[in-house]
Amino acid sequence: MDLLEKIMAAGIVGCGGAGFPTHAKLNCTVEYLIVNAAECEPLLRTDRYLMLNRAPEIVSAMELVAETVKARKLYIALKETYTDEIASLNAAIAAKNSRVEIFPLKNFYPAGDEQIMVLEVTGRTVPPGGIPLDVGAVVSNTATMCGIYDASRDIPFTDKYLTVTGAVAHPTIVKAPIGTSFRECIEQAGGTLTGDYHILAGGPLMGKLYRKEDLDQYYVTKTTSGIVIVPDEAKLVEMRQTPLHTILRRARSACIQCQTCTGMCPRYLSGHPLSPHKIMRKLAYAEEVKEILDDPDVKEAMTCSECGVCEAYACPMGLAPRQVNVFVKKALRESGFRYRKETEATFRKREDREYRRIPSYRIAARLGVEKYYHYTIRDVCEMQPEEVRISLQQHIGAPSVAVVSAGDLVEKGDRIGAIPEKSLGANIHASIRGRVVSVDEHTVVIRRE
């Protein structure tokens, strides 16, 4: 098998985002291969752990991928403050006499956003509605590169490295079999330090927020990057819990059109025609959202990355332009609108972009989680759960189809979910040795034997 076939067989998907199947993403020819090692969200430490402990594998995987995609320029982009990680990577590059280069970034949010990173490394703006491939680049996360290295040695994707942090006794990196419960991961970090909390799956800006009461519903997937325990009194909990009708009412009544949301928007600063303040104003004058869906400015909401800069940092009135954009995007999709990227125009970053970068610590402070910002993790806890609940939908594309039945005995690494014929998808494998307890169209449950 060639590399793409091995990646597909191993079930590798993008570990840092929505889980796009990697064998499909790398089926291209590009000038730039970029490894995203900037760990976009404050508080997470998984990428740093991998760079310290699996640097040779990351560099080797980049060389393999570069041959496949014909890339001439290979960069690992990470924050310049990651001094130990840079030293680890440089040692691996020197040992292999590799052509991989380090690209240091300022410590700003959202440095790890795929399009922002492409602009930093290449100087090229990805067109609105486009992808890095449109400007000759492909980007993969460090954990994805580790998965690709394993796949090249015929080792399937069965375990996930993730950060467990926030209001826990001992912030830690865990290596959790896919399907491990969030509760067990939190217990591995010594348990929570407060009785009243919410759970973030991911980081504080773009992660999904869950109630403590629903904790037992959630399990590790291939795209779980972190589990953050957030006290109920944290500002970000209040922001996320504000009802939509309240958000829209405030948008209509309190927006002062200062344009700060637009002036600080990473997409706008990269050269996109997205102007959140215009969307806020037009919504204010409309009796119903459907009245403004044909407006060109409103349609640009579809290019919003939902990074949260506008509401967590920029707006002086405490409004939520991001959530307004999310609401408008949903309405546009329901109306049948599909954003078409501009293929003729060339977009360029705005001149003041260099002066509008937001320090990661400051945005963490605005969210009320700054006390969890400064810490170091050097060790990993390898978990051994007695039971795993493995979702058959852990990626963009069609859900996998179960190829096991209740009662089957499976070894770790056995395929339990297959890509449907002629579909975009990913294979899924058993993450522990054990007996299949149950199978339905959504989940395979395995109990250790």
Side-chain angles (χ1 to χ4, degrees):
M1 290 191 291
D2 66 16
L3 183 63
L4 293 184
E5 290 171 329
K6 285 177 176 284
I7 290 170
M8 180 170 67
I12 309 300
V13 303
C15 294
F20 195 87
T22 304
H23 67 274
K25 184 174 187 176
L26 296 181
N27 188 17
C28 62
T29 299
V30 295
E31 181 182 357
Y32 288 89
L33 170 62
I34 303 170
V35 167
N36 184 344
E39 205 124 51
C40 191
E41 291 268 24
L43 311 188
L44 303 184
R45 298 291 184 272
T46 310
D47 285 356
R48 292 187 228 184
Y49 172 83
L50 293 174
M51 287 184 282
L52 287 172
N53 293 277
R54 298 197 64 180
E57 291 100 315
I58 293 169
V59 174
S60 294
M62 289 186 69
E63 295 280 5
L64 292 171
V65 171
E67 287 185 29
T68 298
V69 300
K70 312 301 182 187
R72 294 186 292 106
K73 300 175 183 178
L74 288 63
Y75 291 103
I76 300 175
L78 73 170
K79 294 172 182 174
E80 63 185 8
T81 54
Y82 295 178
T83 52
D84 291 343
E85 292 79 3
I86 290 172
S88 175
L89 291 166
N90 276 330
I93 291 168
K96 294 180 178 295
N97 193 27
S98 173
R99 57 196 176 112
V100 172
E101 298 181 51
I102 301 296
F103 192 97
L105 303 163
K106 298 294 184 183
N107 187 15
F108 68 95
Y109 178 81
D113 175 274
E114 187 173 75
Q115 294 194 17
I116 300 302
M117 181 164 287
V118 168
L119 176 55
E120 292 287 328
V121 174
T122 71
R124 302 168 185 172
T125 294
V126 176
I131 58 175
L133 188 60
D134 294 321
V135 293
V138 67
V139 183
S140 282
N141 172 269
T142 52
T144 306
M145 280 294 148
C146 290
I148 290 171
Y149 176 81
D150 291 340
S152 72
R153 302 169 66 226
D154 301 317
I155 300 172
F157 191 172
T158 59
D159 297 275
K160 179 69 179 180
Y161 290 93
L162 59 110
T163 309
V164 185
T165 189
V168 295
H170 307 291
T172 188
I173 302 293
V174 299
K175 183 182 180 183
I178 302 297
T180 303
S181 70
F182 275 24
R183 182 178 292 279
E184 288 180 85
C185 293
I186 294 166
E187 290 171 354
Q188 192 69 56
T192 64
L193 298 177
T194 177
D196 300 312
Y197 63 86
H198 278 66
I199 308 105
L200 273 170
L205 284 136
M206 300 183 73
K208 294 181 179 179
L209 188 70
Y210 301 123
R211 302 187 311 156
K212 175 184 72 173
E213 292 77 12
D214 299 327
L215 175 60
D216 290 324
Q217 297 180 25
Y218 302 108
Y219 295 81
V220 174
T221 70
K222 294 179 182 181
T223 60
T224 307
S225 57
I227 299 172
V228 184
I229 301 301
V230 184
D232 285 352
E233 63 269 20
K235 179 67 176 177
L236 75 85
V237 174
E238 175 191 340
M239 290 170 57
R240 299 287 193 91
Q241 289 186 321
T242 304
L244 179 61
H245 65 84
T246 301
I247 291 170
L248 296 177
R249 176 174 53 80
R250 290 176 180 171
R252 288 185 166 102
S253 63
C255 178
I256 59 174
Q257 287 293 285
C258 65
Q259 303 186 28
T260 309
C261 57
T262 297
M264 300 297 291
C265 172
R267 285 287 188 267
Y268 170 82
L269 291 170
S270 70
H272 290 190
L274 173 63
S275 299
H277 77 280
K278 293 181 180 179
I279 299 169
M280 297 284 278
R281 174 52 67 196
K282 289 174 181 181
L283 181 67
Y285 283 109
E287 292 187 9
E288 295 184 33
V289 69
K290 64 181 180 182
E291 297 177 10
I292 61 172
L293 295 183
D294 286 333
D295 189 292
D297 290 328
V298 173
K299 289 178 179 178
E300 293 298 334
M302 294 298 290
T303 67
C304 171
S305 67
E306 302 176 27
C307 69
V309 164
C310 51
E311 63 189 37
Y313 190 86
C315 182
M317 302 300 290
L319 304 181
R322 178 185 71 89
Q323 295 184 65
V324 169
N325 280 353
V326 170
F327 168 70
V328 172
K329 286 164 74 172
K330 182 174 183 290
L332 284 165
R333 284 191 292 266
E334 290 174 349
S335 74
F337 175 72
R338 295 293 180 268
Y339 193 93
R340 294 184 180 180
K341 67 183 178 185
E342 177 60 65
T343 57
E344 300 298 327
T346 299
F347 297 87
R348 293 182 175 84
K349 65 181 181 181
R350 301 182 191 275
E351 292 182 2
D352 55 348
R353 178 177 179 270
E354 309 304 319
Y355 311 104
R356 293 182 178 269
R357 292 191 175 114
I358 302 167
S360 293
Y361 177 79
R362 291 183 65 183
I363 202 162
R366 295 285 182 92
L367 293 168
V369 293
E370 70 277 12
K371 68 172 68 175
Y372 312 117
Y373 187 85
H374 294 292
Y375 69 99
T376 301
I377 298 175
R378 286 289 185 262
D379 299 320
V380 67
C381 297
E382 296 201 20
M383 301 187 63
Q384 300 290 334
E386 290 301 311
E387 183 176 282
V388 291
R389 299 181 64 87
I390 302 177
S391 171
L392 294 170
Q393 177 73 78
Q394 302 185 42
H395 49 265
I396 286 177
S400 298
V401 177
V403 294
V404 293
S405 302
D408 289 351
L409 182 65
V410 294
E411 298 292 334
K412 181 172 182 174
D414 285 352
R415 189 174 67 159
I416 61 173
I419 303 170
E421 189 175 354
K422 297 181 180 179
S423 298
L424 176 68
N427 291 309
I428 295 176
H429 302 80
S431 58
I432 62 173
R433 180 186 188 276
R435 188 76 60 180
V436 177
V437 176
S438 64
V439 179
D440 60 33
E441 61 180 325
H442 304 293
T443 310
V444 176
V445 181
I446 304 172
R447 188 168 297 144
R448 187 180 297 279
E449 281 195 5

